Amino acid sequence: MIGDALSAAARSGMDVILRGGTVVTMDAARRVLTADVHVRGNTIVQIGRVPMGRVQVGRVKAPSAAALVLDARGCAVMPGFVQTHVHLCQALFRGMADDLPLLEWLKQRIWPLEAAHDERSLYASARLGLAEMLRAGTTTILDMGTVNHHDAVFTAIAESGMRAFSGKAMMDTGAGVPRGLRETTKQSLAESDRLRARWHGAEDGRLGYAYAPRFILSCTEKLLRGAAAAAHATPGVLLHSHAAEHADERKAVRDALGKDDVSALAEYGVTGPRTVLAHGVQLRPGEMRSIARAGTRFAHCPSANMKLASGIADVVAMRDAGMLVGIGADGAPCNNRMDPFTELRQAALLAKVKRGDAGALKAEDALAMATIDGARVLGIDALTGSIELGKRADLAVVRLDALHAEPGGDATARIVYACTASDVKHVLVDGRVVVADGELRTLDADTVLSEARREGERVRRRAKL
Ligand SMILES: [Zn+2]
């Protein structure tokens, strides 16, 4: 029944009302209120009691009786999660690369698997990751692809309804890089430019391009400088890489270049407010201050850092130093979930462990990292990341009435410490209902799963693992 109403709503551009939830706005005042949220087109036009069937005083007209009303009673209505570092191309590799440290994990498993991708397996991988993340309330991602076939990832993102920055991985050097992933500097830049021209700003601005030199050990100085120049030349385009993840990786960079990865990257232009670097586990306080001065953004990936034994990033020190930090699940084979609730909880708890202080990174601050700060990291906080009039309707409705989340108390703390992905009831991206009553609307879960099983097996056989 809701399916018919949704189809009709989509056809007619009908308003959507999220009725009667606890709205955790994540606005500057961090307001939490009991209210309806009224969406017209892709925009939040009203937060408050929305009367039905009559004209309301004020600038916004009441919806017609035909508005699609989604029940949010007993639920939190929150901004959708912004995941600032994920790899859709690795979703098929879940369970194929476990219990290895970073460099072995890459060389023995991830690179051979990525090299074995074809267009079909990459498309299936992206769809699996997108389905998992949308279903769990993620509405925006920053994605790093693999070297080849990246149009398949963008096609899957476009169809899914997710808001995303994405880009192909760039790799023109490096020990242990298989031939299938090695490209020339020129090819890497040309293919990235082609993808940027085709996809940046597509889907009414929902898609953006992020140049993605993979990490310093797989990129020449020329490639890094070229990627930085290309990214900085186009408004809204991002630069996306990994840095300061594992001590062994840092040592390899120091041995090769005589300096640390973050300072080398900055020297080559991979720096500033349009640059997002994943991890930062190994950052020293002096580096944090210079990163904050440059405005370079970081993505914290707590589960991946634990699973690869990379360490615990000191996000409280980063934030105190003035750095802007978001949260991301990283990839399925190093996590093994792409669940924003898991990352939110791990980020909050690990910060307390790291600091030996139960008050370190309060629930509200952890939720900010997963929403509005994530939007700031990507430079799209004027559009998304909080529930405010005029912003895009990127929203997650999360049940607070499950056994593990009752019997009440602070809504923000319940989202951070108690709720799980299975509590997500409805999700909107850019005003479009992508999940209703727990069911994906833009992807067919059964088809996504059967494709993923078939293509996962095929890619593993091709990689001879
Ligand atoms: Zn990563």
Short mmCIF file of all heavy atoms in Angstrom, two decimals, residues 285-337:
data_model
loop_
_atom_site.label_atom_id
_atom_site.label_comp_id
_atom_site.label_asym_id
_atom_site.label_seq_id
_atom_site.Cartn_x
_atom_site.Cartn_y
_atom_site.Cartn_z
N PRO A 285 50.85 16.11 17.33
CA PRO A 285 50.15 17.38 17.62
C PRO A 285 50.57 18.53 16.71
O PRO A 285 49.71 19.30 16.25
CB PRO A 285 50.53 17.65 19.08
CG PRO A 285 50.81 16.29 19.65
CD PRO A 285 51.40 15.48 18.54
N GLY A 286 51.87 18.66 16.41
CA GLY A 286 52.33 19.75 15.54
C GLY A 286 51.73 19.64 14.15
O GLY A 286 51.36 20.65 13.53
N GLU A 287 51.61 18.40 13.66
CA GLU A 287 51.01 18.19 12.33
C GLU A 287 49.53 18.57 12.35
O GLU A 287 49.01 19.14 11.39
CB GLU A 287 51.12 16.71 11.94
CG GLU A 287 52.52 16.26 11.60
CD GLU A 287 52.53 14.78 11.24
OE1 GLU A 287 52.27 13.95 12.13
OE2 GLU A 287 52.77 14.47 10.06
N MET A 288 48.86 18.23 13.46
CA MET A 288 47.42 18.57 13.56
C MET A 288 47.22 20.09 13.44
O MET A 288 46.31 20.56 12.76
CB MET A 288 46.84 18.08 14.88
CG MET A 288 46.78 16.57 15.00
SD MET A 288 46.09 16.09 16.60
CE MET A 288 46.48 14.34 16.63
N ARG A 289 48.12 20.83 14.09
CA ARG A 289 47.98 22.29 14.05
C ARG A 289 48.22 22.82 12.63
O ARG A 289 47.48 23.69 12.16
CB ARG A 289 48.94 22.95 15.06
CG ARG A 289 48.51 22.76 16.51
CD ARG A 289 49.29 23.66 17.46
NE ARG A 289 50.71 23.29 17.53
CZ ARG A 289 51.19 22.34 18.33
NH1 ARG A 289 50.39 21.67 19.15
NH2 ARG A 289 52.49 22.07 18.34
N SER A 290 49.20 22.26 11.94
CA SER A 290 49.44 22.79 10.58
C SER A 290 48.33 22.35 9.62
O SER A 290 47.95 23.10 8.71
CB SER A 290 50.84 22.43 10.07
OG SER A 290 50.97 21.05 9.98
N ILE A 291 47.78 21.15 9.83
CA ILE A 291 46.64 20.71 9.01
C ILE A 291 45.44 21.63 9.24
O ILE A 291 44.75 22.04 8.30
CB ILE A 291 46.28 19.24 9.34
CG1 ILE A 291 47.39 18.31 8.84
CG2 ILE A 291 44.93 18.86 8.74
CD1 ILE A 291 47.33 16.92 9.46
N ALA A 292 45.22 21.97 10.52
CA ALA A 292 44.10 22.87 10.84
C ALA A 292 44.29 24.23 10.17
O ALA A 292 43.35 24.80 9.63
CB ALA A 292 43.97 23.02 12.36
N ARG A 293 45.53 24.73 10.20
CA ARG A 293 45.80 26.04 9.57
C ARG A 293 45.54 25.98 8.06
O ARG A 293 44.98 26.90 7.48
CB ARG A 293 47.26 26.45 9.81
CG ARG A 293 47.47 27.24 11.10
CD ARG A 293 48.83 27.95 11.10
NE ARG A 293 49.95 27.03 10.92
CZ ARG A 293 50.52 26.32 11.91
NH1 ARG A 293 50.04 26.42 13.14
NH2 ARG A 293 51.54 25.52 11.66
N ALA A 294 45.94 24.87 7.44
CA ALA A 294 45.73 24.73 5.99
C ALA A 294 44.26 24.48 5.66
O ALA A 294 43.83 24.70 4.53
CB ALA A 294 46.58 23.58 5.46
N GLY A 295 43.49 23.99 6.63
CA GLY A 295 42.07 23.70 6.40
C GLY A 295 41.82 22.34 5.78
O GLY A 295 40.69 22.03 5.37
N THR A 296 42.85 21.50 5.70
CA THR A 296 42.69 20.15 5.13
C THR A 296 41.75 19.33 6.01
O THR A 296 41.86 19.34 7.23
CB THR A 296 44.07 19.46 5.04
OG1 THR A 296 44.95 20.32 4.32
CG2 THR A 296 43.97 18.11 4.34
N ARG A 297 40.83 18.61 5.36
CA ARG A 297 39.83 17.82 6.11
C ARG A 297 40.32 16.40 6.33
O ARG A 297 41.08 15.86 5.52
CB ARG A 297 38.53 17.72 5.31
CG ARG A 297 37.66 18.92 5.04
CD ARG A 297 38.13 20.26 5.31
NE ARG A 297 37.08 21.25 5.04
CZ ARG A 297 37.07 22.47 5.50
NH1 ARG A 297 38.06 22.90 6.25
NH2 ARG A 297 36.08 23.30 5.21
N PHE A 298 39.82 15.77 7.39
CA PHE A 298 40.14 14.35 7.63
C PHE A 298 38.88 13.53 7.82
O PHE A 298 37.84 14.05 8.22
CB PHE A 298 41.07 14.19 8.86
CG PHE A 298 42.53 14.09 8.46
CD1 PHE A 298 43.23 15.22 8.08
CD2 PHE A 298 43.17 12.86 8.41
CE1 PHE A 298 44.56 15.14 7.67
CE2 PHE A 298 44.50 12.76 8.01
CZ PHE A 298 45.19 13.90 7.64
N ALA A 299 38.99 12.23 7.49
CA ALA A 299 37.89 11.28 7.73
C ALA A 299 38.39 10.24 8.73
O ALA A 299 39.44 9.63 8.53
CB ALA A 299 37.50 10.60 6.42
N HIS A 300 37.64 10.07 9.78
CA HIS A 300 37.96 9.10 10.84
C HIS A 300 37.23 7.79 10.53
O HIS A 300 36.02 7.80 10.29
CB HIS A 300 37.49 9.70 12.17
CG HIS A 300 37.66 8.82 13.36
ND1 HIS A 300 38.79 8.06 13.57
CD2 HIS A 300 36.85 8.60 14.43
CE1 HIS A 300 38.66 7.40 14.72
NE2 HIS A 300 37.49 7.71 15.26
N CYS A 301 37.98 6.68 10.52
CA CYS A 301 37.39 5.38 10.19
C CYS A 301 37.71 4.40 11.32
O CYS A 301 38.61 3.55 11.19
CB CYS A 301 37.96 4.87 8.87
SG CYS A 301 37.81 6.03 7.50
N PRO A 302 36.99 4.50 12.43
CA PRO A 302 37.40 3.77 13.63
C PRO A 302 37.42 2.26 13.49
O PRO A 302 38.37 1.62 13.94
CB PRO A 302 36.38 4.22 14.70
CG PRO A 302 35.25 4.85 13.94
CD PRO A 302 35.82 5.36 12.66
N SER A 303 36.42 1.64 12.85
CA SER A 303 36.40 0.17 12.77
C SER A 303 37.57 -0.33 11.92
O SER A 303 38.24 -1.30 12.28
CB SER A 303 35.09 -0.33 12.16
OG SER A 303 34.01 -0.02 13.01
N ALA A 304 37.82 0.32 10.79
CA ALA A 304 38.92 -0.10 9.91
C ALA A 304 40.26 0.05 10.62
O ALA A 304 41.13 -0.80 10.50
CB ALA A 304 38.91 0.72 8.62
N ASN A 305 40.40 1.11 11.36
CA ASN A 305 41.66 1.32 12.10
C ASN A 305 41.86 0.25 13.16
O ASN A 305 43.00 -0.18 13.42
CB ASN A 305 41.67 2.71 12.77
CG ASN A 305 41.67 3.86 11.79
OD1 ASN A 305 41.29 4.97 12.12
ND2 ASN A 305 42.06 3.61 10.55
N MET A 306 40.79 -0.23 13.76
CA MET A 306 40.90 -1.32 14.74
C MET A 306 41.19 -2.63 14.04
O MET A 306 42.05 -3.39 14.46
CB MET A 306 39.61 -1.43 15.55
CG MET A 306 39.45 -0.34 16.58
SD MET A 306 38.14 -0.72 17.76
CE MET A 306 36.72 -0.23 16.85
N LYS A 307 40.47 -2.92 12.96
CA LYS A 307 40.57 -4.24 12.33
C LYS A 307 41.93 -4.45 11.68
O LYS A 307 42.47 -5.56 11.70
CB LYS A 307 39.44 -4.42 11.31
CG LYS A 307 39.43 -5.82 10.71
CD LYS A 307 38.09 -6.21 10.15
CE LYS A 307 38.14 -7.64 9.62
NZ LYS A 307 38.45 -7.73 8.21
N LEU A 308 42.50 -3.38 11.10
CA LEU A 308 43.83 -3.50 10.50
C LEU A 308 44.93 -3.19 11.53
O LEU A 308 46.10 -3.10 11.17
CB LEU A 308 43.96 -2.55 9.30
CG LEU A 308 42.98 -2.77 8.14
CD1 LEU A 308 43.18 -1.72 7.05
CD2 LEU A 308 43.14 -4.16 7.53
N ALA A 309 44.53 -3.05 12.79
CA ALA A 309 45.46 -2.77 13.88
C ALA A 309 46.32 -1.54 13.58
O ALA A 309 47.51 -1.49 13.90
CB ALA A 309 46.34 -3.98 14.19
N SER A 310 45.72 -0.54 12.95
CA SER A 310 46.46 0.69 12.62
C SER A 310 46.61 1.58 13.85
O SER A 310 47.54 2.38 13.91
CB SER A 310 45.74 1.45 11.51
OG SER A 310 45.63 0.64 10.35
N GLY A 311 45.69 1.47 14.80
CA GLY A 311 45.75 2.29 16.00
C GLY A 311 44.46 3.07 16.20
O GLY A 311 43.47 2.83 15.52
N ILE A 312 44.50 3.97 17.18
CA ILE A 312 43.31 4.78 17.50
C ILE A 312 43.62 6.24 17.17
O ILE A 312 44.51 6.84 17.77
CB ILE A 312 42.94 4.67 19.00
CG1 ILE A 312 42.72 3.20 19.39
CG2 ILE A 312 41.70 5.51 19.29
CD1 ILE A 312 42.49 3.01 20.90
N ALA A 313 42.91 6.79 16.22
CA ALA A 313 43.10 8.21 15.88
C ALA A 313 42.62 9.07 17.04
O ALA A 313 41.56 8.80 17.62
CB ALA A 313 42.31 8.55 14.62
N ASP A 314 43.40 10.09 17.36
CA ASP A 314 43.03 10.96 18.49
C ASP A 314 42.13 12.09 17.98
O ASP A 314 42.57 13.22 17.79
CB ASP A 314 44.29 11.51 19.17
CG ASP A 314 43.98 12.11 20.53
OD1 ASP A 314 42.78 12.33 20.83
OD2 ASP A 314 44.93 12.36 21.29
N VAL A 315 40.85 11.75 17.77
CA VAL A 315 39.95 12.75 17.16
C VAL A 315 39.68 13.93 18.08
O VAL A 315 39.42 15.03 17.60
CB VAL A 315 38.60 12.13 16.71
CG1 VAL A 315 38.80 11.23 15.51
CG2 VAL A 315 37.91 11.39 17.81
N VAL A 316 39.77 13.70 19.38
CA VAL A 316 39.56 14.84 20.30
C VAL A 316 40.70 15.84 20.13
O VAL A 316 40.46 17.06 20.03
CB VAL A 316 39.44 14.34 21.76
CG1 VAL A 316 39.38 15.51 22.72
CG2 VAL A 316 38.20 13.46 21.91
N ALA A 317 41.93 15.34 20.06
CA ALA A 317 43.07 16.24 19.84
C ALA A 317 42.97 16.93 18.48
O ALA A 317 43.27 18.12 18.35
CB ALA A 317 44.38 15.46 19.93
N MET A 318 42.51 16.20 17.48
CA MET A 318 42.35 16.80 16.14
C MET A 318 41.34 17.95 16.19
O MET A 318 41.60 19.04 15.67
CB MET A 318 41.83 15.76 15.13
CG MET A 318 42.82 14.66 14.77
SD MET A 318 42.04 13.61 13.48
CE MET A 318 43.09 12.19 13.54
N ARG A 319 40.21 17.68 16.83
CA ARG A 319 39.17 18.70 16.91
C ARG A 319 39.64 19.88 17.75
O ARG A 319 39.40 21.04 17.40
CB ARG A 319 37.88 18.10 17.47
CG ARG A 319 37.15 17.20 16.46
CD ARG A 319 36.12 16.30 17.14
NE ARG A 319 35.12 17.04 17.89
CZ ARG A 319 33.97 17.49 17.39
NH1 ARG A 319 33.67 17.24 16.12
NH2 ARG A 319 33.13 18.15 18.15
N ASP A 320 40.35 19.59 18.86
CA ASP A 320 40.86 20.67 19.71
C ASP A 320 41.87 21.53 18.96
O ASP A 320 42.01 22.72 19.21
CB ASP A 320 41.50 20.10 20.98
CG ASP A 320 40.45 19.55 21.96
OD1 ASP A 320 39.25 19.80 21.73
OD2 ASP A 320 40.83 18.88 22.94
N ALA A 321 42.63 20.88 18.04
CA ALA A 321 43.62 21.62 17.26
C ALA A 321 42.95 22.46 16.17
O ALA A 321 43.61 23.25 15.50
CB ALA A 321 44.62 20.65 16.62
N GLY A 322 41.64 22.27 15.98
CA GLY A 322 40.92 23.05 14.97
C GLY A 322 40.70 22.32 13.67
O GLY A 322 40.25 22.91 12.68
N MET A 323 41.00 21.01 13.64
CA MET A 323 40.77 20.25 12.41
C MET A 323 39.29 19.91 12.26
O MET A 323 38.59 19.70 13.25
CB MET A 323 41.57 18.93 12.45
CG MET A 323 43.05 19.09 12.20
SD MET A 323 43.96 17.53 12.45
CE MET A 323 43.19 16.43 11.27
N LEU A 324 38.85 19.83 11.02
CA LEU A 324 37.49 19.41 10.71
C LEU A 324 37.53 17.93 10.35
O LEU A 324 38.24 17.55 9.42
CB LEU A 324 36.97 20.26 9.55
CG LEU A 324 35.48 20.33 9.31
CD1 LEU A 324 34.68 20.55 10.59
CD2 LEU A 324 35.22 21.49 8.34
N VAL A 325 36.78 17.11 11.09
CA VAL A 325 36.88 15.65 10.95
C VAL A 325 35.49 15.05 10.76
O VAL A 325 34.58 15.33 11.54
CB VAL A 325 37.55 15.01 12.20
CG1 VAL A 325 37.77 13.52 11.97
CG2 VAL A 325 38.86 15.71 12.53
N GLY A 326 35.33 14.22 9.74
CA GLY A 326 34.10 13.46 9.54
C GLY A 326 34.34 12.00 9.88
O GLY A 326 35.40 11.63 10.39
N ILE A 327 33.32 11.17 9.60
CA ILE A 327 33.42 9.73 9.92
C ILE A 327 33.09 8.94 8.65
O ILE A 327 32.23 9.34 7.86
CB ILE A 327 32.42 9.35 11.04
CG1 ILE A 327 32.76 10.08 12.34
CG2 ILE A 327 32.43 7.84 11.28
CD1 ILE A 327 31.81 9.79 13.50
N GLY A 328 33.76 7.80 8.47
CA GLY A 328 33.42 6.92 7.34
C GLY A 328 33.69 5.47 7.70
O GLY A 328 34.51 5.17 8.56
N ALA A 329 32.98 4.57 7.01
CA ALA A 329 33.12 3.13 7.30
C ALA A 329 34.31 2.53 6.56
O ALA A 329 34.68 1.39 6.82
CB ALA A 329 31.86 2.38 6.91
N ASP A 330 34.92 3.28 5.61
CA ASP A 330 35.99 2.75 4.77
C ASP A 330 35.41 1.60 3.93
O ASP A 330 34.29 1.74 3.44
CB ASP A 330 37.19 2.33 5.64
CG ASP A 330 38.52 2.42 4.87
OD1 ASP A 330 38.49 2.57 3.65
OD2 ASP A 330 39.58 2.33 5.51
N GLY A 331 36.10 0.47 3.78
CA GLY A 331 35.58 -0.56 2.87
C GLY A 331 35.05 -1.78 3.60
O GLY A 331 35.39 -2.03 4.75
N ALA A 332 34.21 -2.55 2.89
CA ALA A 332 33.65 -3.76 3.49
C ALA A 332 34.72 -4.77 3.92
O ALA A 332 34.55 -5.43 4.93
CB ALA A 332 32.66 -4.41 2.53
N PRO A 333 35.84 -4.93 3.19
CA PRO A 333 36.81 -5.93 3.64
C PRO A 333 37.69 -5.49 4.81
O PRO A 333 38.44 -6.31 5.33
CB PRO A 333 37.67 -6.18 2.40
CG PRO A 333 37.43 -5.06 1.49
CD PRO A 333 36.14 -4.40 1.85
N CYS A 334 37.59 -4.25 5.27
CA CYS A 334 38.42 -3.84 6.42
C CYS A 334 37.55 -3.39 7.58
O CYS A 334 38.01 -2.70 8.47
CB CYS A 334 39.40 -2.74 6.03
SG CYS A 334 38.64 -1.21 5.53
N ASN A 335 36.27 -3.83 7.59
CA ASN A 335 35.39 -3.26 8.62
C ASN A 335 34.60 -4.30 9.43
O ASN A 335 34.70 -4.23 10.67
CB ASN A 335 34.44 -2.23 7.97
CG ASN A 335 33.65 -1.46 9.00
OD1 ASN A 335 33.08 -2.02 9.93
ND2 ASN A 335 33.62 -0.15 8.90
N ASN A 336 33.78 -5.19 8.96
CA ASN A 336 33.35 -5.52 7.62
C ASN A 336 31.97 -5.00 7.28
O ASN A 336 31.27 -5.58 6.44
CB ASN A 336 33.34 -7.04 7.44
CG ASN A 336 34.73 -7.66 7.42
OD1 ASN A 336 35.73 -7.00 7.59
ND2 ASN A 336 34.79 -8.95 7.18
N ARG A 337 31.55 -3.95 7.93
CA ARG A 337 30.25 -3.33 7.64
C ARG A 337 30.46 -1.95 7.05
O ARG A 337 31.51 -1.36 7.23
CB ARG A 337 29.46 -3.13 8.93
CG ARG A 337 29.20 -4.37 9.73
CD ARG A 337 28.56 -3.94 11.03
NE ARG A 337 28.36 -5.08 11.91
CZ ARG A 337 28.22 -5.00 13.22
NH1 ARG A 337 28.26 -3.82 13.81
NH2 ARG A 337 28.03 -6.07 13.95
#
